[in-house]
Amino acid sequence: MASLDFHKLRVAEVKRETPDAVSVRFDLPEELRETFKFRAGQHLTLRREIGGEEVRRNYSVCVAPHENMLKVGVKQIAGGLFSGWVNAELKAGDIVEVMAPHGSFCWTFEPEARREYVGFAGGSGITPVLSLMKAALSLEPRSRFTLIYGNRTSLGVMFLEEIAALKDRYLDRLQVFHFLEDEEEEIELFNGRLDRPKVEQILSSVVDPSLVDAFFICGPGPMMDAIEETLLARGVEKSKLLIERFTTGPLSAAQAAAARALEEKAAGRKMSVTLNGRRMNVSFDPDKHSILDNVRAAGLPAPFACKGGVCATCRAKVTAGEVSMKVNYGLSEEELAEGYVLTCQATPLNDDVALTYDA
């Protein structure tokens, strides 16, 4: 289990990758190397006070474990408090509070394996896919990787030179295809966004999905939905699709109404919550909307980052009773089967729910 504490790390380098994106590399003192060991595809939660408000954001690690460094990619989002600060103000020597790596957008690579991997990335979605791609090529010398990378323009391609260097290094095992939405290439296939018709074209000309062992998918929501729908329609097993979401859309009116009804029905229900070995009884207040916010209001410093059902920072294991989640984009089927829930999305369905953040 990853440490739920924040650690103060010194910034070693801030590198401009595109006009609106940087990579941030951290110095890692010897005593924290074990704490910050990560798997390819995981992310870090960063914390800072901005304008008197505590702001937390998740950013994917963009290096592989064998590179022996800790680095994330940060693309500036319009109106984004944290990404704006990182892109405009953060510099080498600054101190940032960082939580240990976590996340389940991961794959077990095996040195003797001979596999076919495909990465679909859009914009800053390249960050975890790049980590996985590097790990696959390094750890499985007989495996191959195909990267399908979509951007609006060539100026927005993060890690362009690094990807080109990897292509030169692994000439016979790495294919890279760039797709640009707002620029015209000579070959029509590479023009336009990665929507369902485009993905259909790719699967008919560039990638044979029946030969692929795993697909790594990260980018804008509509792009990921189009890729997932197309692959499933082509008969690809859902277990072969690994999807990492940075954000989610709002609930529909019907979903929001159903969620609110469950919250109101749960008013006053008692929950037993364990965190860092400390157990506390908490009553559910529907106006706080989630188990997470009720737990924090009761004085337990439960971990969180996105509060959108994506990052799984707030994951806890239910040991008694039942809960319902509004959405879940952060937990695998295996984690759900083991009783884990996202507490930022959870409401107790009966009395005497017990859960632990320590599992």
Side-chain angles (χ1 to χ4, degrees):
M1 179 181 173
S3 168
L4 302 179
D5 298 326
F6 282 90
H7 303 270
K8 293 183 178 181
L9 298 184
R10 186 178 302 277
V11 174
E13 178 188 37
V14 178
K15 180 182 177 183
R16 177 62 55 186
E17 299 289 346
T18 71
D20 62 354
V22 297
S23 60
V24 180
R25 180 167 59 86
F26 296 101
D27 277 328
L28 205 52
E30 195 61 39
E31 64 270 19
L32 289 178
R33 287 197 174 274
E34 190 65 28
T35 299
F36 279 89
K37 277 188 175 179
F38 64 92
R39 297 181 67 192
Q42 290 192 305
H43 53 260
L44 305 177
T45 299
L46 278 56
R47 178 174 72 180
R48 177 178 170 80
E49 186 173 295
I50 300 176
E53 175 189 357
E54 182 189 284
V55 183
R56 302 182 183 200
R57 293 291 185 270
N58 293 315
Y59 295 107
S60 294
V61 178
C62 56
V63 290
H66 69 270
E67 294 180 273
N68 295 314
M69 67 175 74
L70 191 66
K71 185 164 74 168
V72 298
V74 181
K75 183 174 182 178
Q76 185 163 350
I77 306 301
L81 278 177
F82 207 102
S83 64
W85 168 70
V86 171
N87 273 265
E89 299 182 37
L90 190 65
K91 61 185 182 304
D94 287 349
I95 302 297
V96 179
E97 291 186 285
V98 186
M99 190 184 290
H102 52 104
S104 57
F105 186 55
C106 302
W107 182 263
T108 300
F109 297 106
E110 300 168 331
E112 299 304 316
R114 185 193 296 271
R115 295 178 175 138
E116 290 283 342
Y117 298 110
V118 172
F120 279 96
S124 59
I126 188 62
T127 46
V129 174
L130 179 60
S131 176
L132 288 158
M133 183 170 74
K134 290 178 178 180
L137 294 167
S138 174
L139 297 175
E140 294 186 358
R142 299 195 299 169
S143 293
R144 294 167 48 85
F145 201 107
T146 299
L147 175 64
I148 309 294
Y149 188 12
N151 285 278
R152 289 189 175 276
T153 67
S154 55
L155 284 176
V157 180
M158 293 178 67
F159 309 112
L160 179 61
E161 293 181 2
E162 188 171 359
I163 292 169
L166 286 169
K167 180 69 182 74
D168 290 341
R169 181 177 178 182
Y170 298 105
L171 277 173
D172 59 338
R173 297 198 292 123
L174 174 61
Q175 292 188 94
V176 178
F177 299 98
H178 291 281
F179 293 77
L180 300 177
E181 186 175 338
D182 296 336
E183 291 183 23
E184 292 289 329
E185 297 289 329
E186 289 185 9
I187 301 175
E188 179 58 30
L189 173 65
F190 302 122
N191 296 327
R193 69 177 64 189
L194 294 175
D195 55 15
R196 187 157 183 175
K198 183 63 67 177
V199 176
E200 289 280 10
Q201 284 184 286
I202 292 169
L203 298 182
S204 298
S205 58
V206 174
V207 172
D208 182 347
S210 67
L211 302 178
V212 179
D213 294 280
F215 294 87
F216 305 118
I217 305 166
C218 187
M223 182 204 88
M224 292 190 292
D225 292 342
I227 294 167
E228 181 181 20
E229 290 165 6
T230 308
L231 289 171
L232 292 175
R234 288 287 191 109
V236 176
E237 297 173 20
K238 194 172 181 66
S239 61
K240 292 184 176 182
L241 308 185
L242 282 76
I243 300 174
E244 177 83 332
R245 295 181 184 272
F246 290 159
T247 59
T248 62
L251 297 176
S252 68
Q255 289 172 321
R260 185 57 187 163
L262 278 181
E263 290 166 2
E264 291 175 350
K265 190 175 181 180
R269 284 179 175 158
K270 300 293 184 182
M271 303 176 290
S272 172
V273 181
T274 302
L275 174 65
N276 296 331
R278 179 185 175 193
R279 181 180 298 174
M280 178 180 284
N281 291 322
V282 178
S283 295
F284 188 85
D285 178 353
D287 291 333
K288 293 185 172 59
H289 300 294
S290 70
I291 289 176
L292 171 69
D293 285 342
N294 274 276
V295 169
R296 291 186 63 83
L300 286 175
F304 72 94
C306 75
K307 288 191 177 182
V310 175
C311 70
T313 308
C314 67
R315 186 185 85 156
K317 187 172 186 176
V318 176
T319 57
E322 294 182 75
V323 307
S324 172
M325 288 189 291
K326 301 180 188 73
V327 298
N328 166 42
Y329 297 107
L331 296 176
S332 66
E333 293 295 329
E334 292 77 11
E335 289 173 309
L336 292 173
E338 291 172 10
Y340 288 99
V341 297
L342 303 175
T343 55
C344 75
Q345 299 296 311
T347 303
L349 293 180
N350 48 28
D351 292 319
D352 300 320
V353 163
L355 56 88
T356 176
Y357 286 90
D358 295 347

